[in-house]
Amino acid sequence: MKNLKQKLHSEEEHKRNSPWNIAADFDVEMSLSRQGIQGMLQEYEEECRTGMNQEEMADLLYKYTSGYPYLVSRLCKIMDEKAENAWTKSGFLEAVRVLLSENNMLFESLTGKLADYPELSRVLKELLFSGKDITYNPTNPAINLAGMFGFVKNEGGKAVPANRIFDTLLYNHFLSEDEMRSLEIYKDTWRKEGNMKKTIIFDFDYTLGDSTDGIVASINFALEKMNLETASRDRIAKTIGLSLEESYQVLTGRTDSGEKARFKTYFREKADEVMVESTRLYDGVKEMLTQLHKKGKKTAIVTTKYRFRIEEILAVNQIEHLIDAIIGGEDVQSPKPDPEGIEKIKAQFGISPEDILYVGDSIVDAKTAQSAGVDFIAVLTGTTSAEDFQNYPCVKILNRAAELD
């Protein structure tokens, strides 16, 4: 607040003393700068001694809010009161998720404007889903409304979303409208962000292919070998994407580390027999990967599956040349949603988080992208619904990965 008062005071005093003040519009920029946010955090740190990295936290807050005062304040309040790892990157990302799941007065007001002004809703859908540049023309009534209500800002003469929080809020709002999913403009939305990315990282199971048959057979083989009750296909399907240790615990309720190790050994014994031949790629995946390579994109897979298994599956389907790197379950100390796998790809390719788009089918994937600070596209070929993804930042939600082509 002190930063805002200083800005207001300086601007108003200048205009009051100006000989041209009859023409002054008193258009005060109310947003906080990155430096202003860091100054606020510094004052808080001096008083509370949280141990936060002030520069990193200020950068994250500005990156997601563009200095919108309420959003900055609300995220800080959530971190301070609700986040498990307060004032860390993971705590910040958890605060973003909590904020986007809230039904606060600001969000109610903004989404209410979309119902009140159909032309405003139309232009925002075009901006978010077409991937086309829209000139920031304040004489256009819809653009003027979008700017006045804070949905967009003028960046180099183009209308762009005012900040990442509002961007995600609008995506989630529009994607909750069932009719949007049938429109061509929706199917093409990935190009808005995706064409700007250097690297596309994919999950495998339920994203690029379906290994359900092999996984069910291998899990139930392992459970039988351990004299435990087998699980239904539906129950097992909901664990796909978890590590084998996590799957064992979810399916049996047992936590003994020795049992988990035995389960993994038996699982692999059966998987060596059936997994590759029972795995099928989804329709259009080979064509999509081919198009990405033609566009000069790097591609990678980060999965809880063994790397050698993915290599075998790719080879059988003759697409091993279309994947530039694979991080399997044996390549990381901590499985997803820990960002270690994405971090390894980032280091291998020498790229930044802004260069990466991650594609997956589950909440675990959404959390992985969020933890790594990279953009995320959700696909609906798994067991997770579009509604389940609403509480997580998604660039978009596609029916299948092949729509990326």
Side-chain angles (χ1 to χ4, degrees):
M1 185 56 70
K2 182 172 72 174
N3 283 275
L4 288 177
K5 287 180 178 178
Q6 288 173 345
K7 293 172 77 172
L8 283 166
H9 178 74
S10 175
E11 183 72 11
E12 288 176 347
E13 186 160 338
H14 169 74
K15 290 184 176 180
R16 186 165 56 245
N17 295 329
S18 170
W20 317 115
N21 60 11
I22 192 171
D25 58 12
F26 292 92
D27 183 17
V28 180
E29 172 57 63
M30 297 295 290
S31 62
L32 297 164
S33 67
R34 184 181 281 101
Q35 292 75 17
I37 294 171
Q38 188 167 343
M40 295 165 58
L41 294 176
Q42 183 177 351
E43 290 181 9
Y44 182 81
E45 181 64 15
E46 289 172 356
E47 180 179 346
C48 298
R49 304 294 181 185
T50 68
M52 78 171 82
N53 182 326
Q54 297 165 36
E55 184 176 351
E56 177 188 48
M57 196 56 54
D59 189 61
L60 285 169
L61 283 163
Y62 189 79
K63 180 178 178 181
Y64 276 77
T65 69
S66 295
Y68 194 100
Y70 172 82
L71 297 179
V72 173
S73 176
R74 184 63 188 141
L75 286 170
C76 289
K77 184 175 176 64
I78 292 170
M79 277 191 286
D80 203 38
E81 297 178 354
K82 299 181 180 181
E84 287 188 13
N85 300 300
W87 304 108
T88 65
K89 184 176 180 180
S90 62
F92 172 81
L93 295 172
E94 175 65 15
V96 170
R97 188 192 68 78
V98 171
L99 176 61
L100 288 169
S101 68
E102 289 182 342
N103 191 25
N104 56 57
M105 291 181 64
L106 172 63
F107 290 177
E108 283 185 2
S109 174
L110 290 173
T111 54
K113 298 293 191 298
L114 303 177
D116 295 338
Y117 300 95
E119 185 61 18
L120 170 64
S121 180
R122 184 199 65 76
V123 78
L124 289 173
K125 284 179 180 178
E126 184 178 353
L127 174 65
L128 294 174
F129 291 94
S130 73
K132 300 176 182 176
D133 288 337
I134 296 179
T135 301
Y136 191 94
N137 180 4
T139 63
N140 179 315
I143 295 295
N144 186 51
L145 284 172
M148 181 175 68
F149 293 140
F151 287 111
V152 303
K153 61 184 177 183
N154 183 351
E155 190 171 279
K158 305 296 182 184
V160 299
N163 56 66
R164 289 186 67 170
I165 297 294
F166 286 175
D167 194 11
T168 304
L169 175 71
L170 288 170
Y171 268 118
N172 290 346
H173 176 79
F174 288 135
L175 293 179
S176 67
E177 300 175 350
D178 289 339
E179 66 270 18
M180 279 297 296
R181 296 188 194 120
S182 65
L183 298 180
E184 193 64 30
I185 193 174
Y186 166 71
K187 296 176 182 177
D188 289 341
T189 57
W190 90 276
R191 294 180 175 86
K192 176 173 178 284
E193 295 279 345
N195 276 346
M196 298 164 58
K197 303 296 183 180
K198 295 179 180 178
T199 300
I200 316 297
I201 302 177
F202 297 92
D203 172 50
F204 184 81
D205 284 313
Y206 286 155
T207 299
L208 296 178
D210 185 351
S211 301
T212 306
D213 289 345
I215 292 172
V216 170
S218 301
I219 283 180
N220 279 334
F221 173 83
L223 293 175
E224 286 179 345
K225 293 282 282 187
M226 298 175 71
N227 297 316
L228 296 173
E229 184 179 352
T230 59
S232 69
R233 183 183 181 89
D234 286 346
R235 282 192 68 207
I236 292 173
K238 291 177 181 177
T239 70
I240 292 177
L242 300 178
S243 68
L244 287 174
E245 293 89 345
E246 291 168 327
S247 295
Y248 178 76
Q249 186 167 332
V250 168
L251 293 171
T252 68
R254 304 165 78 95
T255 60
D256 182 78
S257 58
E259 291 183 14
K260 290 178 180 179
R262 288 171 56 212
F263 175 77
K264 285 181 66 176
T265 298
Y266 291 137
F267 177 95
R268 182 168 176 173
E269 179 183 338
K270 187 65 174 179
D272 286 344
E273 297 177 12
V274 303
M275 193 64 71
V276 174
E277 66 181 27
S278 64
T279 298
R280 68 175 184 86
L281 289 183
Y282 288 130
D283 292 342
V285 163
K286 183 174 183 178
E287 293 77 7
M288 175 269 292
L289 293 173
T290 299
Q291 288 302 313
L292 291 179
H293 264 246
K294 286 182 177 178
K295 293 174 182 177
K297 308 295 183 184
K298 289 277 193 180
T299 57
I301 292 174
V302 173
T303 177
T304 54
K305 264 184 163 50
Y306 290 110
R307 174 170 29 86
F308 76 86
R309 190 89 65 204
I310 295 295
E311 290 170 344
E312 291 175 351
I313 292 169
L314 298 181
V316 165
N317 288 275
Q318 300 181 339
I319 61 168
E320 66 270 30
H321 61 290
L322 298 176
I323 298 295
D324 299 299
I326 302 167
I327 300 296
E330 73 270 42
D331 297 318
V332 296
Q333 295 295 317
S334 302
K336 297 185 289 186
D338 189 278
E340 183 182 353
I342 292 179
E343 293 292 337
K344 284 180 176 289
I345 295 294
K346 187 176 74 172
Q348 183 173 337
F349 290 170
I351 53 178
S352 67
E354 290 74 22
D355 297 322
I356 297 172
L357 182 67
Y358 182 61
V359 184
D361 68 280
S362 69
I363 296 302
V364 169
D365 291 318
K367 289 180 176 179
T368 302
Q370 193 176 38
S371 297
V374 302
D375 284 341
F376 176 65
I377 286 183
V379 294
L380 302 180
T381 37
T383 61
T384 307
S385 68
E387 290 70 27
D388 291 333
F389 284 117
Q390 297 304 310
N391 291 335
Y392 297 88
C394 298
V395 171
K396 59 200 64 68
I397 303 173
L398 301 178
N399 290 317
R400 58 198 185 105
E403 292 176 7
L404 287 172
D405 64 2

